[in-house]
Amino acid sequence: MFSLSSLYFLLTHKDKQKLNVPFLVSFITVISYLVMWQGNFVTLSKNGEELYWIRWLGYMFSCTLLMYTIAGLIKSSPSMLVNKIYLTALVMFTGVLASVSDGNFMLAFFGVSTFAYILLIWPIITNKLAYTYVNYFIILGWSLFPVIFLLSPEGFSIIAQPVSAVIYLGLDFFTKILFYVAKPKDI
Amino acid sequence: MFSLSSLYFLLTHKDKQKLNVPFLVSFITVISYLVMWQGNFVTLSKNGEELYWIRWLGYMFSCTLLMYTIAGLIKSSPSMLVNKIYLTALVMFTGVLASVSDGNFMLAFFGVSTFAYILLIWPIITNKLAYTYVNYFIILGWSLFPVIFLLSPEGFSIIAQPVSAVIYLGLDFFTKILFYVAKPKDI
Amino acid sequence: MFSLSSLYFLLTHKDKQKLNVPFLVSFITVISYLVMWQGNFVTLSKNGEELYWIRWLGYMFSCTLLMYTIAGLIKSSPSMLVNKIYLTALVMFTGVLASVSDGNFMLAFFGVSTFAYILLIWPIITNKLAYTYVNYFIILGWSLFPVIFLLSPEGFSIIAQPVSAVIYLGLDFFTKILFYVAKPKDI
C-alpha cells in the first residue's frame, strides 16, 4: 500500500536524464510486497510459521540499487562500486538461503551473510567522506534487518512472524523511502 | 527449429570486434524454446491448460539485449540505457509472475508490468531521434505480446494455448530476427 | 572446508582499491559448496543418484568473474568482455538444464552448452596475447568439467556421483585457487 503511494510520489520526483534510482527501488519493493501478499513463494518453518524468503530476493535487487546510491555519495571508484554491488547481492542471496534453512545450516548461511555484510559496510562507515547521514541509515536501518531475522521464525522464533513483518515494513520505509526523502540537497 | 537456423544465419553475420547482440538474442531464444519444448517448467491453469511462464524469463534476458540495441539506435545516455534495461527486466519478471497467477493477482502483476512497459517505451517512441523503423517494431511487435497474454490461458482464456504459442512464435520471429535483418544500413 | 581456508588466505591478499576477484570467486564457491552439503537443491537421476545441479548455477556466478580476470589478461575490449561474460553465463545455465535433464534433452542442452563454450574459449586460446599460463588452466582445467559431466550420473553414469564430486572438487581447486596463486607477477 504505502509502497504504491511512494511509487507515485517518487515518480513525480523524476526530472532529469539521470537514472531514477529511488523510483526503481520503490517499484521493486512494490513487486516484492505483492508477491509476499499473494503468498505463493513461502516455505513453512518447523513450528509451522510462514517464511517469506522471497523478501531477501527482492532486497537482492532493491538494495544493490540503494548501494549504487551510497557508493555514489562516498565517491567509490567504479571497481569498488562493483565490489559493493557483488557483496550486497551475496549478503541478500545468503539471506534467502538462511531463511529457508534450519539449525546449523541457518547459522552457517547467516554467518556467511553477516561476514559479507561487515566487509560491505566497514569501508563505508569508516570512509573519510562518510556522511553522518549515510551512517545513520546504515547503522539504524540496514543493520537491524539481521537482528530481526534472528528474532523472527526465520531465526530463533523469539518474535512471531506478523510482528517481524511489521518491523521489516517499518525498516523498508526508513531505508528505502525516508533515505531518499531525507537526503541533504548539498551532497 | 527456425531459431536454430537463424542462429547459424546470425553466426555468419558475425564479423567485427563488436558485441554480436543478434546472435546472443537468437541463442537465448533457442535455449528458451528448448526448455518450453521439454516442458519441465510449466504450471497448469485453473482449466488445465499449460502455462509456459519460462517464456517470460527467457525474454528477461533476450529483450534486455534487444533494448541495448534500441538504446544504441536512439543514442541513449549510459544512465538511460541502464534505466531501460532495468525496466525491461522488470516488465518481463512481472510477466512471469502474472503468468503463474490467477484472478486479481494476475491483473495486479499484469498492471505493474504494463505500467513499467509504458515507462519504458514512451521515451522511445516520442524520442526526437526515433526512427520509424524502431517504432514499427515496438508498436506492431513488442506491444502485441501483452495483448496475446490477456487473450491466452495466461489471461482470460479467450484463445487456446497452442494458438497463443504460434502467435508468440511469429512475434518472436518478427521482433528478434526480422528486426535485425531489416535494420537500415545507414543507422 | 578448503574453500573456507582459501577464503581467509585470499582475504589477506586483499590490498588495493582494485576489485578483489579471487576473493569473490572463492566466496561464491564456499556458498555453493555449503548449499551442496546441505543437499536442499538436488534432483534424482533415473537410477536414483543425486544430481547437484546447483553446482552449475554457482559456476554461473564464479566463472563469469574468472572470465573477467582472463579477459583482462588478454586485454579484451569492453564489448568482447561483455560477450565473454554472456557466453560464460549461457554455458553454465545450459549446464544446469543439462544436469536436470535426461536422454535427448540432456544431450541437446549439453550440445548447446558445448557450442557456447567453444565460441567462448576459441578466441582466447588462439589470441595473439594468449599466455601459455591461461591456456594451461583452460585446457587442463575448464575443459575437463564437461568430460566429467558426461561420465557422471548427470551424463551417462559411467562413474559414480561421489567420484565425480571429488574430481569436480579437484578441478575447482585447480581453476579457482591455483589459477590465482600461480599467476606470474609480470602479467
Side-chain angles (χ1 to χ4, degrees):
Chain A
M1 338 291 95
F2 95 94
S3 304
L4 270 163
S5 65
S6 77
L7 169 68
Y8 284 89
F9 163 62
L10 287 160
L11 254 177
T12 58
H13 266 242
K14 199 170 99 171
D15 41 352
K16 324 126 232 216
Q17 270 291 90
K18 289 226 239 126
L19 187 59
N20 194 345
V21 180
F23 162 68
L24 285 172
V25 169
S26 277
F27 198 64
I28 292 170
T29 307
V30 169
I31 296 168
S32 175
Y33 271 102
L34 260 176
V35 174
M36 285 193 271
W37 186 18
Q38 184 181 25
N40 271 1
F41 300 91
V42 158
T43 42
L44 291 181
S45 72
K46 272 186 179 164
N47 48 350
E49 286 197 273
E50 289 168 325
L51 303 175
Y52 290 85
W53 55 266
I54 198 89
R55 168 191 302 285
W56 308 98
L57 203 66
Y59 290 165
M60 193 166 159
F61 296 94
S62 56
C63 293
T64 43
L65 284 165
L66 282 174
M67 196 41 78
Y68 172 86
T69 299
I70 291 170
L73 290 175
I74 63 168
K75 295 176 178 43
S76 289
S77 68
S79 86
M80 278 302 97
L81 167 65
V82 171
N83 186 51
K84 283 181 176 58
I85 285 174
Y86 261 97
L87 284 174
T88 308
L90 288 170
V91 167
M92 298 309 166
F93 185 71
T94 47
V96 173
L97 294 170
S99 181
V100 299
S101 300
D102 280 322
N104 287 334
F105 277 108
M106 183 273 284
L107 286 175
F109 289 123
F110 184 85
V112 171
S113 186
T114 303
F115 180 69
Y117 181 65
I118 290 167
L119 282 183
L120 172 66
I121 65 157
W122 193 254
I124 298 174
I125 59 180
T126 60
N127 192 291
K128 284 156 284 171
L129 270 170
Y131 298 98
T132 318
Y133 153 69
V134 170
N135 288 355
Y136 185 75
F137 279 92
I138 286 180
I139 294 164
L140 293 183
W142 289 54
S143 297
L144 291 183
F145 282 93
V147 176
I148 304 307
F149 181 98
L150 283 184
L151 296 175
S152 80
E154 298 171 299
F156 295 112
S157 285
I158 290 158
I159 59 176
Q161 190 274 322
V163 177
S164 68
V166 169
I167 302 176
Y168 282 138
L169 185 70
L171 288 173
D172 279 341
F173 178 78
F174 182 65
T175 56
K176 296 184 183 64
I177 299 180
L178 264 187
F179 173 70
Y180 283 112
V181 174
K183 198 167 87 174
K185 284 257 158 59
D186 56 325
I187 63 172
Chain B
M1 338 290 93
F2 95 95
S3 304
L4 268 163
S5 65
S6 76
L7 168 69
Y8 284 90
F9 162 63
L10 286 161
L11 253 178
T12 58
H13 267 243
K14 198 170 99 169
D15 41 351
K16 326 124 232 217
Q17 269 292 90
K18 289 226 240 124
L19 187 59
N20 194 346
V21 181
F23 161 69
L24 286 172
V25 168
S26 277
F27 197 64
I28 292 170
T29 307
V30 169
I31 296 167
S32 174
Y33 272 101
L34 260 176
V35 174
M36 285 193 270
W37 186 17
Q38 185 182 24
N40 271 1
F41 299 92
V42 158
T43 42
L44 291 181
S45 71
K46 272 186 178 163
N47 47 350
E49 287 198 273
E50 290 167 324
L51 303 175
Y52 290 85
W53 55 266
I54 199 89
R55 168 191 302 285
W56 308 97
L57 202 66
Y59 291 166
M60 194 168 158
F61 295 93
S62 56
C63 292
T64 42
L65 284 165
L66 284 174
M67 196 43 76
Y68 172 85
T69 299
I70 291 171
L73 291 175
I74 62 167
K75 294 175 179 45
S76 289
S77 68
S79 87
M80 278 303 96
L81 166 65
V82 171
N83 186 51
K84 282 181 177 59
I85 285 173
Y86 260 97
L87 284 174
T88 307
L90 288 170
V91 166
M92 299 309 166
F93 185 71
T94 47
V96 173
L97 294 171
S99 181
V100 299
S101 299
D102 280 321
N104 288 333
F105 277 108
M106 183 273 283
L107 286 175
F109 288 123
F110 184 84
V112 172
S113 186
T114 303
F115 180 70
Y117 181 64
I118 291 167
L119 282 183
L120 172 65
I121 65 158
W122 193 253
I124 297 173
I125 58 180
T126 60
N127 192 291
K128 284 156 284 173
L129 271 169
Y131 298 99
T132 318
Y133 153 71
V134 171
N135 288 354
Y136 186 75
F137 279 92
I138 286 180
I139 294 164
L140 293 182
W142 288 54
S143 297
L144 292 183
F145 281 93
V147 175
I148 304 306
F149 181 97
L150 283 185
L151 296 174
S152 81
E154 299 172 297
F156 296 113
S157 284
I158 289 158
I159 59 176
Q161 191 275 322
V163 176
S164 68
V166 169
I167 302 176
Y168 282 138
L169 185 70
L171 288 173
D172 279 341
F173 178 78
F174 182 64
T175 55
K176 296 185 182 65
I177 299 180
L178 265 187
F179 173 70
Y180 284 111
V181 174
K183 197 167 87 174
K185 283 256 160 59
D186 56 327
I187 64 170
Chain C
M1 336 293 94
F2 94 93
S3 304
L4 270 163
S5 65
S6 76
L7 169 69
Y8 284 89
F9 162 62
L10 286 160
L11 254 177
T12 58
H13 267 241
K14 198 169 99 171
D15 41 351
K16 324 126 231 216
Q17 269 292 89
K18 289 226 239 128
L19 187 59
N20 195 346
V21 181
F23 161 69
L24 286 172
V25 168
S26 277
F27 197 64
I28 292 170
T29 306
V30 170
I31 295 167
S32 174
Y33 272 101
L34 261 176
V35 174
M36 285 193 271
W37 187 18
Q38 184 182 24
N40 271 0
F41 299 92
V42 157
T43 42
L44 291 182
S45 72
K46 272 186 177 162
N47 48 349
E49 288 198 271
E50 290 168 325
L51 303 175
Y52 290 85
W53 55 265
I54 198 88
R55 168 191 302 285
W56 308 97
L57 203 66
Y59 291 166
M60 194 167 158
F61 296 94
S62 57
C63 292
T64 43
L65 284 165
L66 282 174
M67 196 42 78
Y68 173 86
T69 299
I70 291 171
L73 290 176
I74 62 167
K75 294 176 179 44
S76 289
S77 68
S79 87
M80 278 302 96
L81 167 65
V82 171
N83 185 53
K84 282 181 177 59
I85 285 173
Y86 260 97
L87 284 174
T88 308
L90 288 170
V91 167
M92 298 309 167
F93 185 71
T94 48
V96 173
L97 294 170
S99 181
V100 298
S101 300
D102 279 321
N104 288 334
F105 276 108
M106 183 274 284
L107 285 176
F109 289 124
F110 184 84
V112 171
S113 186
T114 303
F115 180 70
Y117 181 64
I118 291 167
L119 282 183
L120 172 66
I121 65 157
W122 194 254
I124 297 173
I125 59 180
T126 60
N127 191 292
K128 284 156 284 173
L129 269 171
Y131 298 99
T132 317
Y133 153 70
V134 171
N135 288 354
Y136 186 75
F137 279 92
I138 286 181
I139 294 164
L140 292 182
W142 289 54
S143 297
L144 291 183
F145 281 93
V147 175
I148 304 307
F149 182 97
L150 283 184
L151 296 174
S152 81
E154 298 172 297
F156 295 114
S157 285
I158 290 158
I159 59 177
Q161 191 274 321
V163 177
S164 68
V166 169
I167 302 176
Y168 282 137
L169 185 70
L171 289 173
D172 279 341
F173 177 77
F174 182 65
T175 55
K176 296 184 183 64
I177 299 180
L178 264 189
F179 173 70
Y180 283 112
V181 174
K183 197 167 87 174
K185 284 257 159 58
D186 56 327
I187 64 171

